[in-house]
Amino acid sequence: MKLLPFEKPLAELYDKIAQLRKLSVEGNIDLSGEIEKIEGRAEQVRKEIYTNLTPNQIVQVARHPHRPDTDSLIRLIFDTFVELHGDRLFGDDPAIVGGIATLGQFRVVVMGHQKGHDTKENIRRNFGMPNPEGYRKALRLMQMADRFRMPIITFIDTPGAYPGIEAEERGQAEAIARNLREMAGFTVPIVSFVIGEGGSGGALGIGVANRLYMLQNAVYSVISPEGCASILFRDAKKSDIAADAMKITAPEIVKLGIADGIIPEPLGGAHHDWKVVSQSIQEAIQAELCKFKDLSEQEIKSQRYAKFRAMGRFLDPGI
Amino acid sequence: MSIIDWFAKKEKSTGSSERLNIPGDVWVKCTSCSEILFQKDLESNQKVCPKCGFHFRISPEDRIRYTFDTNTFIEKDSEIGPTDFLRFFDTESYTDRIRKAQSKSGKNDAVVSGTATINGLPVNTAIMNFAFMGGSMGSVVGEKITRTIERSVEDFKPVVVFTSSGGARMQEGIMSLMQMAKTSAALERLAEQRVPYISVLCDPTTGGTSASFAILGDINIAEPGALISFAGPRVIEQTIRQKLPKGFQRSEFLLAHGMVDMVTDRRELRHTLSTLLTTLSIPREPNQ
Ligand SMILES: [Zn+2]
């Protein structure tokens, strides 16, 4: 598993463990006592590192190449899943995966941004950066969900919508904007999870939800820390300061009233145990869908409207 | 050095008029064709270059004067102001940036909203101001746009919004992003009430503003030559590592790609809006 730069002290301990193991096999000597001791030390170091992550380090965890992806999570969480393709207008965008699924008594439409775990898959998925047809596929599936009374589950994990010539020609802005407006009108519940990177409008384009959860080491921001640093701080290398200033971590997003809850991750990040993470998400989905079962269509829509209507901090002497 | 040389030396600005600090502030150089223009001539021509038709960026006050019936504009929500709730600090604090922009503009934030009439037809309107922190959308812009739309949900007057904005206001972090959803959600309610919404996209309309209420008009009108995009040209050039073709992401490009209904000269706008709104509005008794 790829270690992140700030995990360097761990790398040294892991190296030592590997050396001792090799030595113990080759020399046929029992070093299990020593190995155990260093393993214990490593676990302690890992705990120390992960209880004090800076926002910029959390960004690195959120972007870890082995972090659980949407497609894998869907298959771990749901009993059945049938992937559906295409926006019926232009094409099928591999950067967004979606389809119909079941979970116990619930029938849902589920979708999310799709990243890869290696270069080849990442190129195929465009690093999780959708083109307009991705958002239009998402909209088509959500409209179908609304028609057939199926709750909508979305997984957010994108650096942002793709900034390319063709994306602009085909109306990236329009595709996202339309989703924002249409999602506000659906009468089925929408529950969203930021599982990795919540990158700007490209994230929000499938994120106008009744309830929003952040994974513990996920981030959600209006612009990437690098982008913010290069525009406001005039130095892309100051992304650590920008990450801190923008308040992008799960606890901050909850504190600002944007997210409703946090899904805990195993020590060291979600990439260490996909199964545990998927179980926590599954429980959250079930709990949320049970809550919405008793609400009327109008109540579901009003709850979502009220949530977003209240977002904003300003001075109003009139109130 | 002649005046022409002096102008030639001055750096090309991005659309705001260049002023000369000598005799009476009466000369302006056209950003597009470099013609030296009489300030007075430019103003009597709605800040459109009489020679080449270049549309200068204008203030909300000018917009109100050019578009609405004389003295019909009544400002609403002018008392709402921004707050530095993240205590954001880049090269300077957001608090200082707000204070500077406010004292320079005499306005609280980057949008002016209210009610007015166009050829006798009442509308609710909002006009963005690029001169205030790049027209960036933070909580105040989001709230005022939303209130404008909600007024129309109640009184059925059509909504006309003039956009000019670099996108979300980074100093308000995630909250600025959420204004995209908030304003778009209000438009969903407006559509449900069958009240028309016309968006007039002015230079520039990019980022979060373009990807929310700006592009969601029942009718989208663009001013000539306006930059309208989701991703900025610089970001795209960095991503694809090639130069962009001339005219890319300008109004005429958007018209050709089906994103706006028309590109309309500022001097025709009042007439166009009046015709469109009269035709589009469902005849009904006003609420109350
Ligand atoms: Zn000119």
Side-chain angles (χ1 to χ4, degrees):
Chain A
M1 181 112 30
K2 187 195 159 199
L3 286 174
L4 297 165
F6 61 86
E7 292 176 309
K8 199 166 165 247
L10 273 180
E12 284 158 14
L13 291 170
Y14 289 155
D15 275 352
K16 207 173 267 172
I17 292 168
Q19 274 168 24
L20 287 177
R21 284 220 173 99
K22 203 173 154 212
L23 202 68
S24 121
V25 172
E26 283 171 358
N28 199 17
I29 26 174
D30 182 18
L31 295 169
S32 57
E34 275 87 323
I35 291 173
E36 227 166 85
K37 232 167 74 188
I38 300 173
E39 276 174 344
R41 172 86 191 115
E43 200 50 28
Q44 207 184 336
V45 169
R46 198 145 77 117
K47 206 177 227 163
E48 276 164 25
I49 292 174
Y50 271 86
T51 42
N52 296 299
L53 290 183
T54 67
N56 196 45
Q57 288 168 338
I58 293 174
V59 170
Q60 294 171 55
V61 179
R63 291 174 182 166
H64 194 287
H66 200 61
R67 200 167 167 84
D69 60 280
T70 291
D71 188 64
S72 304
L73 284 175
I74 289 174
R75 288 167 205 281
L76 284 167
I77 290 165
F78 295 96
D79 304 331
T80 65
F81 174 61
V82 181
E83 188 179 353
L84 302 171
H85 293 276
D87 68 350
R88 301 293 189 271
L89 298 162
F90 178 80
D92 181 45
D93 190 345
I96 287 187
V97 161
I100 53 176
T102 55
L103 176 58
Q105 54 172 319
F106 298 111
R107 316 139 50 232
V108 305
V109 162
V110 58
M111 67 191 71
H113 305 100
Q114 183 65 32
K115 289 185 182 176
H117 298 292
D118 54 45
T119 307
K120 195 176 153 215
E121 184 66 4
N122 258 325
I123 288 169
R124 185 166 101 79
R125 302 291 186 180
N126 201 27
F127 298 84
M129 295 184 283
N131 276 284
E133 51 273 22
Y135 294 104
R136 289 174 181 141
K137 169 167 73 176
L139 180 62
R140 180 178 76 84
L141 296 181
M142 288 190 278
Q143 285 169 332
M144 187 174 74
D146 197 47
R147 191 177 315 132
F148 297 126
R149 315 297 319 139
M150 299 159 87
I152 298 163
I153 311 293
T154 76
F155 295 122
I156 293 166
D157 188 17
T158 180
Y162 185 61
I165 291 185
E166 293 83 5
E168 294 289 317
E169 288 175 340
R170 296 198 289 272
Q172 189 75 285
E174 195 274 346
I176 292 170
R178 181 189 293 264
N179 281 17
L180 303 182
R181 185 184 64 195
E182 297 304 308
M183 288 182 89
F186 293 142
T187 55
V188 293
I190 304 173
V191 182
S192 294
F193 297 84
V194 186
I195 59 170
E197 273 185 295
S200 194
L204 188 60
I206 58 167
V208 184
N210 293 78
R211 302 280 288 173
L212 176 73
Y213 284 86
M214 301 273 300
L215 259 60
Q216 189 183 339
N217 293 309
V219 292
Y220 200 178
S221 62
V222 63
I223 183 171
S224 71
E226 292 83 358
C228 177
S230 78
I231 296 170
L232 286 186
F233 298 81
R234 292 165 206 269
D235 183 358
K237 289 191 198 83
K238 290 195 171 151
S239 60
D240 53 334
I241 307 174
D244 190 34
M246 286 197 294
K247 310 290 180 232
I248 62 178
T249 63
E252 298 282 6
I253 301 297
V254 169
K255 214 167 86 189
L256 288 164
I258 310 295
D260 303 287
I262 297 174
I263 306 283
E265 292 183 24
L267 190 67
H271 51 283
H272 285 282
D273 198 336
W274 293 12
K275 196 121 200 254
V276 162
V277 173
S278 73
Q279 277 162 358
S280 304
I281 297 175
Q282 187 190 62
E283 281 161 26
I285 292 173
Q286 276 168 326
E288 288 297 346
L289 295 187
C290 283
K291 275 187 236 165
F292 281 105
K293 254 174 76 174
D294 299 327
L295 295 190
S296 71
E297 296 186 0
Q298 193 52 50
E299 282 169 331
I300 290 167
K301 190 173 150 180
S302 300
Q303 185 266 335
R304 191 187 310 116
Y305 189 85
K307 182 176 191 224
F308 283 90
R309 183 66 187 83
M311 288 180 190
R313 299 273 175 92
F314 49 86
L315 306 174
D316 186 358
I319 292 177
Chain B
M1 183 165 70
S2 74
I3 280 193
I4 306 293
D5 288 337
W6 187 90
F7 275 120
K9 266 186 79 177
K10 258 197 106 184
E11 215 187 4
K12 230 182 168 189
S13 90
T14 46
S16 57
S17 58
E18 287 178 40
R19 288 179 175 191
L20 192 51
N21 288 325
I22 43 172
D25 194 19
V26 291
W27 297 99
V28 175
K29 188 177 79 161
C30 175
T31 312
S32 177
C33 71
S34 300
E35 180 82 353
I36 309 297
L37 306 166
F38 237 139
Q39 177 81 25
K40 225 174 60 194
D41 290 346
L42 189 60
E43 279 178 18
S44 67
N45 204 36
Q46 302 195 2
K47 303 221 169 130
V48 175
C49 174
K51 195 179 164 220
C52 75
F54 176 76
H55 284 52
F56 287 79
R57 284 179 193 153
I58 60 173
S59 67
E61 290 72 25
D62 284 341
R63 180 68 67 185
I64 289 164
R65 202 145 18 94
Y66 302 152
T67 313
F68 302 119
D69 301 334
T70 311
N71 291 330
T72 61
F73 179 79
I74 300 163
E75 190 173 357
K76 302 267 190 192
D77 304 321
S78 62
E79 69 285 358
I80 303 178
T83 170
D84 184 9
F85 57 94
L86 295 181
R87 301 190 182 285
F88 195 97
F89 193 99
D90 45 83
T91 51
E92 59 183 309
S93 73
Y94 181 36
T95 302
D96 284 345
R97 285 187 191 276
I98 292 170
R99 202 177 307 132
K100 275 187 201 166
Q102 285 177 337
S103 67
K104 216 172 105 186
S105 66
K107 296 285 178 193
N108 267 345
D109 210 302
V111 68
V112 172
S113 60
T115 63
T117 67
I118 304 176
N119 277 343
L121 187 84
V123 298
N124 288 307
T125 186
I127 304 140
M128 297 186 84
N129 183 8
F130 191 77
F132 193 108
M133 291 187 74
S136 54
M137 169 162 61
S139 297
V140 174
V141 169
E143 180 69 17
K144 287 174 81 168
I145 297 281
T146 303
R147 287 192 191 185
T148 302
I149 297 163
E150 286 179 338
R151 269 194 282 278
S152 286
V153 170
E154 295 296 319
D155 65 18
F156 304 142
K157 291 177 192 166
V159 179
V160 181
V161 174
F162 299 85
T163 60
S164 182
S165 166
R169 188 172 295 171
M170 285 172 275
Q171 290 90 345
E172 293 192 16
I174 193 78
M175 208 59 94
S176 63
L177 184 71
M178 293 303 142
Q179 305 310 308
M180 293 169 65
K182 176 166 149 177
T183 53
S184 302
L187 287 173
E188 199 279 329
R189 292 182 112 191
L190 187 74
E192 208 171 71
Q193 295 299 322
R194 300 168 197 277
V195 177
Y197 164 45
I198 296 185
S199 175
V200 183
L201 297 99
C202 310
D203 185 61
T205 298
T206 65
T209 303
S210 77
S212 59
F213 59 90
I215 206 81
L216 289 175
D218 294 299
I219 294 176
N220 291 334
I221 303 175
E223 280 204 335
L227 174 70
I228 302 164
S229 71
F230 175 68
R234 231 167 23 130
V235 174
I236 298 175
E237 282 184 344
Q238 278 164 11
T239 307
I240 63 171
R241 296 197 182 92
Q242 64 188 70
K243 278 239 80 34
L244 293 169
K246 200 172 170 336
F248 182 67
Q249 297 177 318
R250 297 285 163 182
S251 301
E252 299 70 18
F253 172 92
L254 271 91
L255 181 67
H257 285 89
M259 296 303 150
V260 298
D261 292 278
M262 59 191 84
V263 177
T264 304
D265 190 296
R266 186 178 292 158
R267 294 160 293 184
E268 301 294 323
L269 206 47
R270 182 182 148 84
H271 175 73
T272 303
L273 284 171
S274 162
T275 307
L276 291 174
L277 290 172
T278 310
T279 313
L280 216 52
S281 297
I282 301 174
R284 60 180 139 195
E285 292 299 309
N287 213 5
Q288 282 138 13

